[in-house]
Structures are given as C-alpha cells and as structure tokens.
Amino acid sequence: MTTSPSSLPRPAIAIAAFNAERYLPKALETMLSQSLEAAEIAVCDDASTDHTPEILADFASSNAGIRVIRNEESMGGYGAMNRAVRETRADYVAVYHADDVYHPTILEQEVAYLEAHPAAGAVLTLDWFIDADGHEYDRVRLPRRLQDVTSFDARTLTEAMLRSKCTFLRTPSVMFRRSAFDAVGGFDQEQFGISADVDLWLRLSLEYEIGLLHEYLYGYRHHSRQWSDAYSKLRTTPELFFAVLDKHLSRPGVRALVTREALTLYRIWQVKDETERAANILLLGDHTKAVALVNSSFVRPLLRSSRKWTVLRILALRSLVRLAAAVGGGRTARAAVYMARFRRWLPRRLAAQSGTAAQTLAAEPTEDDGHKRPSARPRLTVFLDPFSTHFYGDGIFDPAAKVNRDNFLSPWHHLHDRFRERGVEIHTADYLVDRTRRAEVNVYSSFGVLDHYRDLAKRPDVLLNAFYLFEVMVLAPEMYRAIPDLTQYFRSLYSWTDADHLAPFVSGPVTVKPFFMPMPRDTVIEPYWSRTDRNGIVLIAANKRAVVPQGELFTERLRAIRHFANHGGIHIWGRWWNERIMDLDEEFRDPVRRSYQGAAAEKYDVLSRYRFAVCYENMALRGWITEKIFDCFYAGTVPVYLGAPDITDHVSKDCFIDFEQFGTYDELSRFIDQLGPRELEAYREAGRDCLASEAFDPFKPKSFADRFIADIEAQLREHALEHVWP
C-alpha cells in the first residue's frame, strides 16, 4: 500500500531505550531515513547505565526532531513505551524498538492504512528475523487461517490467538491512532509484564479494528540481552500469555465470540506449557515439584481435538517426566527428558547436577564460586498435606502458582512467611513422602488428604500433629467416615462445626476443636469496591454435584438460576457448566445455557460488575462459612446468602440479603427490585465495616497461623523436643 508521502499526515515515533548502545544508532538511522518524515521521535531513556544517553544526545544535537525523555528510575520496557507515547502530540504514533531496523516505507504504509481505514485503531506489519550482527535468518510465517486476513476485530483476533498464540502481531511495528491508544489506556505492564502487548491488542479489538500489512517492513533482532531471551530459558513460571487470555475470556461476551475448537486448542497450549515447565523443573533438580505440576491438569480429554499428534507428544513428555522422577531424577533420566524437551544433548552444567542439590545449586548463587552448597539436614521441618493434591510441589506456598487465582492462597503464604521468620522450613507433604526434604524431626498436618497418614505414623522421624476437616461432608463423605481412625493418629482434629452437628455424619463419638476458614484479605479491594457501572445479578461457582444429599445447596443454586434466568436474567461464571450440562436435570439445562458466561479469570473483577450475587454455600450446616460471602464484601457486591444458620453470629445481618427471610423467589425478586441507591450503599458499607470488625478476626490469616504454630510448639514440648524449635 503506497500513497504520496506529501499527502499524508506526519506521525510521531515513540521508543523505549535501556542500555541500547550497541543497536540504537542503526535503529535511529532507519527511522530517520523514512520516505515519510516523522513529526518527532520521542525516545524514553529508561535509566540506562551504558552510553545510551551520550548516543541520544549526539543524535538530538544534529536532528531537531529527536526528543529525549530521561527516567531516573527504570519504569520497565512497556512503562517507558507508555511514557514515550504520551509525550508525543501527533494523531498517529508508532511504537518502535531501539534494537530493530525499519524499512524506509514502514511509516508511510502504516499512516496510509490508518487514513484509509477510519475504524482501525492500530496497524502492524510482518517482520524478518535478524541476529546480533544484523543478518537475516528467518521470517515470520502467518498461520494458514490468517494468510488472507488484513484486519482483526474482537472475534477474529481472539479466535486466532486461541489457536496460534500471538505469533502474528508484534509490538516493534505497531502504529496507533492516538485517540485509540488513549481510549484503551496503553500497555498494562504491572499486571501482564512481557505480554502487555497481547493484552493491549485484545482490549483494543473490543473497540477498534487492528490492521495487518502483509509486507515485511522491519527486522526483529534476536540477541542474548533482550527482554524476552531470559524469559524462555528453563522457564518454571507460567507464560504470561495465558493470564492475558484468561482475563480476556472472562470479559462480558468474549467467550461467545469464539468456537469450541479454539477453546480446546487454547487448552492444549496451556497443558503444553505446564508440561514443558515440569520438564524444566525436573532438569533443575526438583522432581517432586515436577510431578506435582504434571498431575495438576488433565490431558486425555484433549485427544478429541484436531491436534491429536500434538497431544500425544505432550502425553509422552509428561510420562517421561514421571518416569524420570520415579527413578530419582538422576543424570541419565534428566538427559532423556532434556533430549525430549529440546532435541539436543544435556548441557554439561546441568549434567553435573543431581537431585535436590541441583535445584539448590541452580537457584542459590554465592560470591565464592557461583554456587551454594546444600546445607546440612535441618533439625525441624513442617509438612502440610493441602486440601487437594493439585497444590503439591509447594504450589500452595507459591504466589505465582497457577492454582493461586485471586490470591486466595494468601493465608498459606502468610503461614509460610511466619515459619521462615523462625528459620523453619515448611513444605507440602509430597516432599516428606518421597523423603527429599525431611529433617531430624518432621511435623505433619493434613487438610483433607487421607493417603499418607498411616504410613507416616510408622516413621520414627514424623509427628502427626493436626487434621483439619477442610471440606464439607456433601463433597467429601469419605473424610468424615475416616474420623474415628483419624482421632487415633493425629494429636488434634479440627472442624468448622461442633461435635453435635457432626454426629449424623460420623459413626461413634468424636472430639473436635473449632477453627474458622482463613480468608485471603481483611479489607475491601478499593478499585473493585468503588466501581459504579454495576448491573444485574451474578452467580460464581463451579458446577458440582453433591455426593451426599443431606443438607446440600447445589440444587437450590440451580433453582435460583432458573428463576432469575426467566425473570430479568442472571450471569453464571465458573468451571464445568458447559462440560457437565447434561448431568443436570432437564428443567435446569436451558436456563444454564442462556446464563453461562465462562470461567472467571479474576473473581473480584467479575463480581464488581454486578449489584447482587447469589451467594449460597455448598451445604447448610452450622459453622460452614466459606469465602463466598466475604468475596462479595471485597468487591462491593451485595450478597444474597443461604448457608450457615448461625451466619449472624459472625456477620452482621445488615451486610447481606438473607434468603431464608423470603418464602419464594418471587418475593426475593420484588425485594431486590425495590432497593434504591441508598439501601444498596448501606449493604455495601456494612460489608466493608464487617471486614474491619473484631467479629472478622477469627477469619484472618494471622489467627489461623497463630493456632497452627501453637499446636506444633505444644506437640514438641510434649515430646521433649523443644530444642529443635528455633
């Protein structure tokens, strides 16, 4: 696409530069040699410590169109890009990179496209790949489905990214319509890091089209010091692309835009990432964590997709990781995993490491020789069997873990920090079972897993401390059937209800101590709580079925969905509604189909869009008070509550709408409909006050950690082992 440059408006160029002395001169030369002259080139020097400032000063002295903006403290790549864009004044602004090279017509062609397509908010081009010395070695290849696509709307872009990830829109070539960039708010580096560009394309597509020129107009340089290079080497954290897409899919109406096949292919990408990270973790020496990650997701249902060979390769690598872990993760096993993962021989630096020591050596450098030697066996280690094996591999203590949605694991992070302050290690129980983290004295507690306590009780180095009944009996009846046996092995048995209310579910007498479910926060989330653009009613829950019918409230949730779906509408967010819809009674299927919105990437963000939430516990029984009602308080949504009959002993009745006070759903609907702004605000303020009240103290992470630690101290005293407690 070419147009006479003289007839086109002059755009601005925005560049972020950090320690770019090697490639910056060439990049600037290609930007200054454009067929369409830029109105200005704004370079944000992001606190460079090399000769970048001097190079920029030299260019600015001989080119009046170059303006240098200096950050005294680094804002990060996308933060610096945001600042550079906002410092410009042109109607069109190109965001280019300080280490890439640009075709002489890229500015002209991008401006011409935006002039010809007023609905477009941005346009990008294709790129060729160059190495550190500037030699081309490959070119981007568009997926077959996109070879004729010249513009993306929300539907086509989301579908393409689910199928192919972001392999076709690259930040270094983008030109924005300035008004579009301002409208969507720029790059969100704080939340999405290196994938902030993907997030921006998706947000932009909801309001504007995004153009793609099928011409190779810039050279994308790959070298060892660029931001993305370190990100890809034996990466053990989830790729941020998935956080971006999960957030996008939880936006209203987005999931309905894409095909079921695309969602399945996206799941394949996720499982592939998990499997490759598990292989990397094993190569770094922690085979227990590697197996935990492999076990955290299901793959076989994905074999129904069109990419069976991809799924089979994933299954093969997962099996190899398990096998390598089972034989101890030695050199030969790790070499096999490395070959399967990277198609080349295991590097010498990894071959020299083995077992848990390898992870220690890889993760803890010192000033001596670059490595820290494994310490002697600790005197005391605490082990915790979480409420699901999905949290193994210390996942329950990892803020970056996939399972830590909405930071709901913060009570466990607080517990971990409390032990770390005392110099005591705490790990998930899989490290005790496979003996990779044991100490002289090992204290074990379980929050629902029943698989290990009998075998661990036989070991002289293990003390069984406490068992917490962390799930409700309608979902985990086997846990309650095991109570007589548990009382014989554990020092303490904790329950959210008292012995009298447990009696119908337990054979024989039982003695329990009380505890409250620890909550992730003790204050509202201000950006969500303060949101004013709220409408309607929401239900956020997974589609589960009770194993035991006595007292279950799953069916009552379905009745609420049926009523509201037929009277003004309700939105359902959560897992397994589509997959298990045929398990529902026929009367509920159509209301669920009409109401389902998808999985919620951020629970509080979703809650904050609604005035009311159907907030029903899984079971109605004294003491069973979970995070559901408090989640509403965090987000400023008024809960319609059904569950614990003693709820007002802990939460003021002014904080919620009590469904028990209404005879029918019609009565409830009439009550909700007549509530005005003043009444709604009173509920919201009462919820905020509840979190700040003394009544909430038992639900705080500190209260939970205090009890947990006191139990261990008491047991060590009983066994005359005070000397192992720092």
Side-chain angles (χ1 to χ4, degrees):
M1 178 183 299
T2 57
T3 304
S4 172
S6 61
S7 65
L8 295 174
R10 293 168 61 197
I13 298 175
I15 308 170
F18 173 71
N19 287 353
E21 62 180 8
R22 181 175 178 184
Y23 304 115
L24 180 60
K26 181 63 176 177
L28 288 174
E29 287 170 7
T30 63
M31 295 175 205
L32 291 167
S33 303
Q34 292 292 308
S35 59
L36 175 63
E37 183 182 1
E40 64 173 323
I41 300 176
V43 185
C44 185
D45 176 12
D46 196 31
S48 295
T49 56
D50 64 357
H51 292 98
T52 295
E54 291 89 335
I55 293 170
L56 288 173
D58 288 344
F59 269 88
S61 66
S62 56
N63 297 274
I66 293 180
R67 184 157 55 94
V68 180
I69 308 140
R70 169 76 178 179
N71 292 335
E72 295 306 321
E73 294 185 4
S74 176
M75 301 175 66
Y78 285 118
M81 288 180 204
N82 282 339
R83 184 179 181 191
V85 171
R86 288 167 181 149
E87 291 278 346
T88 64
R89 293 294 176 265
D91 290 337
Y92 301 128
V93 56
V95 178
Y96 293 163
H97 277 195
D99 56 358
D100 295 326
V101 296
Y102 294 89
H103 190 278
T105 67
I106 185 171
L107 278 182
E108 177 186 339
Q109 294 200 50
E110 289 182 332
V111 171
Y113 182 94
L114 293 177
E115 285 283 282
H117 298 84
V123 61
L124 297 95
T125 81
L126 302 181
D127 55 314
W128 68 91
F129 304 150
I130 57 177
D131 60 21
D133 297 320
H135 301 127
E136 178 181 345
Y137 65 90
D138 203 352
R139 294 194 166 203
V140 69
R141 305 284 196 278
L142 286 176
R144 187 177 62 220
R145 287 173 171 265
L146 302 182
Q147 289 179 358
D148 296 322
V149 175
T150 58
S151 69
F152 295 92
D153 57 13
R155 181 187 300 275
T156 55
L157 182 59
T158 306
E159 179 87 7
M161 286 202 178
L162 291 173
R163 290 176 174 274
S164 305
K165 300 178 71 177
C166 189
T167 57
F168 47 89
L169 299 181
R170 298 181 188 273
T171 310
S173 76
V174 64
M175 179 178 286
F176 291 102
R177 192 180 302 276
R178 176 58 182 266
S179 58
F181 184 89
D182 291 343
V184 299
F187 299 101
D188 186 355
Q189 175 181 274
E190 183 175 349
Q191 185 171 11
F192 296 117
I194 197 171
S195 290
D197 57 338
V198 183
D199 166 66
L200 182 52
W201 311 149
L202 291 168
R203 284 189 284 120
L204 191 68
S205 72
L206 296 173
E207 301 182 42
Y208 302 87
E209 293 178 2
I210 299 175
L212 177 63
L213 299 177
H214 287 238
E215 295 192 48
Y216 293 89
L217 296 178
Y218 77 103
Y220 186 38
R221 192 185 301 273
H222 289 178
H223 57 92
S224 60
R225 295 186 62 186
Q226 67 187 134
W227 188 7
S228 59
D229 188 67
Y231 179 73
S232 62
K233 292 181 178 177
L234 287 186
R235 178 171 51 83
T236 60
T237 56
E239 189 174 347
L240 287 168
F241 169 81
F242 301 112
V244 172
L245 263 292
D246 287 345
K247 175 68 176 286
H248 184 60
L249 289 170
S250 70
R251 293 183 174 116
V254 169
R255 188 174 286 263
L257 297 175
V258 297
T259 63
R260 183 181 293 272
E261 182 186 10
L263 292 169
T264 301
L265 294 175
Y266 173 62
R267 182 63 189 135
I268 290 174
W269 284 117
Q270 288 181 305
V271 175
K272 181 174 183 289
D273 180 74
E274 291 167 3
T275 304
E276 290 175 349
R277 286 189 290 117
N280 294 346
I281 290 168
L282 183 134
L283 292 169
L284 291 172
D286 191 342
H287 58 265
T288 302
K289 188 177 185 70
V291 171
L293 182 56
V294 164
N295 290 339
S296 70
S297 58
F298 300 99
V299 178
R300 285 177 177 79
L302 300 179
L303 284 168
R304 293 192 293 269
S305 75
S306 60
R307 299 188 182 177
K308 290 183 173 57
W309 286 112
T310 299
V311 177
L312 287 172
R313 285 194 294 271
I314 293 170
L315 283 170
L317 182 56
R318 288 161 67 90
S319 298
L320 188 57
V321 168
R322 287 196 181 95
L323 179 61
V327 299
R331 176 173 176 172
T332 301
R334 287 185 294 112
V337 170
Y338 193 90
M339 176 61 73
R341 169 80 174 85
F342 296 105
R343 302 292 190 271
R344 53 182 185 268
W345 296 111
L346 182 70
R348 187 173 300 174
R349 63 180 178 82
L350 286 176
Q353 302 169 0
S354 63
T356 303
Q359 185 189 32
T360 305
L361 294 175
E364 301 183 42
T366 66
E367 294 181 0
D368 271 346
D369 58 357
H371 297 302
K372 180 178 179 180
R373 304 307 173 195
S375 59
R377 180 192 280 192
R379 305 184 75 179
L380 170 68
T381 300
V382 176
F383 293 92
L384 185 151
D385 233 333
F387 29 90
S388 168
T389 56
H390 290 91
F391 300 94
Y392 273 175
D394 280 350
I396 198 169
F397 304 120
D398 181 5
K402 178 187 71 171
V403 290
N404 186 32
R405 289 184 177 271
D406 307 300
N407 203 31
F408 91 102
L409 293 177
S410 61
W412 314 97
H413 306 155
H414 175 80
L415 182 66
H416 181 273
D417 291 344
R418 291 281 296 276
F419 277 105
R420 185 172 57 184
E421 290 168 2
R422 298 291 297 265
V424 175
E425 291 186 17
I426 181 170
H427 299 285
T428 49
D430 43 334
Y431 288 101
L432 177 61
V433 173
D434 69 12
R435 299 174 183 264
T436 57
R437 299 277 190 182
R438 69 189 189 279
E440 295 176 23
V441 177
N442 304 284
V443 179
Y444 170 84
S445 294
S446 177
F447 287 80
V449 174
L450 299 168
D451 298 338
H452 304 132
Y453 69 91
R454 291 189 187 90
D455 289 337
L456 292 175
K458 300 173 185 177
R459 288 174 47 176
D461 62 331
V462 177
L463 297 176
L464 271 58
N465 186 263
F467 192 98
Y468 288 77
L469 300 169
F470 216 75
E471 186 54 273
V472 69
M473 55 274 291
V474 298
L475 289 176
E478 70 284 352
M479 187 190 307
Y480 292 85
R481 288 195 294 267
I483 282 178
D485 193 46
L486 295 171
T487 58
Q488 302 300 313
Y489 284 90
F490 287 89
R491 178 179 177 273
S492 300
L493 184 66
Y494 281 99
S495 173
W496 40 269
T497 194
D498 54 48
D500 290 342
H501 287 83
L502 281 178
F505 305 93
V506 180
S507 60
V510 60
T511 300
V512 293
K513 296 179 180 179
F515 87 104
F516 294 84
M517 297 286 181
M519 296 298 123
R521 305 177 59 89
D522 56 11
T523 59
V524 302
I525 307 174
E526 199 61 48
Y528 295 139
W529 194 92
S530 300
R531 193 167 182 170
T532 58
D533 55 334
R534 298 170 181 265
N535 285 291
I537 188 165
V538 66
L539 183 150
I540 301 180
N543 179 17
K544 297 180 181 179
R545 299 196 64 152
V547 180
V548 175
Q550 185 176 350
E552 62 90 9
L553 293 178
F554 298 107
T555 305
E556 197 60 46
R557 282 185 195 152
L558 293 170
R559 294 190 185 109
I561 292 169
R562 181 182 60 191
H563 170 82
F564 287 111
N566 294 326
H567 296 82
I570 184 173
H571 284 174
I572 307 169
W573 293 86
R575 296 176 296 164
W576 304 325
W577 290 97
N578 274 343
E579 298 88 338
R580 300 177 181 177
I581 197 166
M582 297 309 295
D583 294 338
L584 304 177
D585 292 341
E586 187 172 355
E587 63 182 305
F588 300 124
R589 292 174 191 166
D590 182 61
V592 166
R593 284 193 186 98
R594 287 187 281 120
S595 306
Y596 184 55
Q597 304 297 305
E602 293 183 42
K603 176 170 49 177
Y604 305 124
D605 176 47
V606 170
L607 275 171
S608 71
R609 302 173 196 159
Y610 300 88
R611 288 197 179 101
F612 305 98
V614 172
C615 180
Y616 293 0
E617 303 286 9
N618 295 339
M619 183 180 188
L621 195 65
R622 180 179 178 82
W624 182 245
I625 303 171
T626 68
E627 76 287 347
K628 293 178 178 61
I629 192 167
F630 299 115
D631 285 343
C632 293
F633 298 163
Y634 299 145
T637 306
V638 179
V640 178
Y641 183 80
L642 180 63
D646 60 331
I647 183 66
T648 54
D649 291 351
H650 310 283
V651 177
S652 169
K653 61 182 178 59
D654 299 328
C655 301
F656 62 95
I657 298 170
D658 187 353
F659 179 67
E660 292 279 18
Q661 302 302 309
F662 302 91
T664 66
Y665 279 103
D666 287 333
E667 291 180 24
L668 173 64
S669 289
R670 284 193 293 271
F671 178 80
I672 287 175
D673 291 343
Q674 60 84 33
L675 290 174
R678 183 176 298 177
E679 291 88 355
L680 288 172
E681 195 62 19
Y683 279 116
R684 286 164 30 85
E685 290 289 353
R688 182 203 286 268
D689 292 343
C690 173
L691 299 175
S693 69
E694 291 184 3
F696 186 71
D697 286 348
F699 296 94
K700 292 181 178 179
K702 180 181 183 303
S703 301
F704 171 73
D706 287 346
R707 179 193 304 110
F708 191 93
I709 292 170
D711 271 357
I712 292 176
E713 290 178 324
Q715 188 174 32
L716 292 175
R717 285 195 300 271
E718 291 164 7
H719 288 79
L721 292 170
E722 300 98 318
H723 61 282
V724 303
W725 183 257

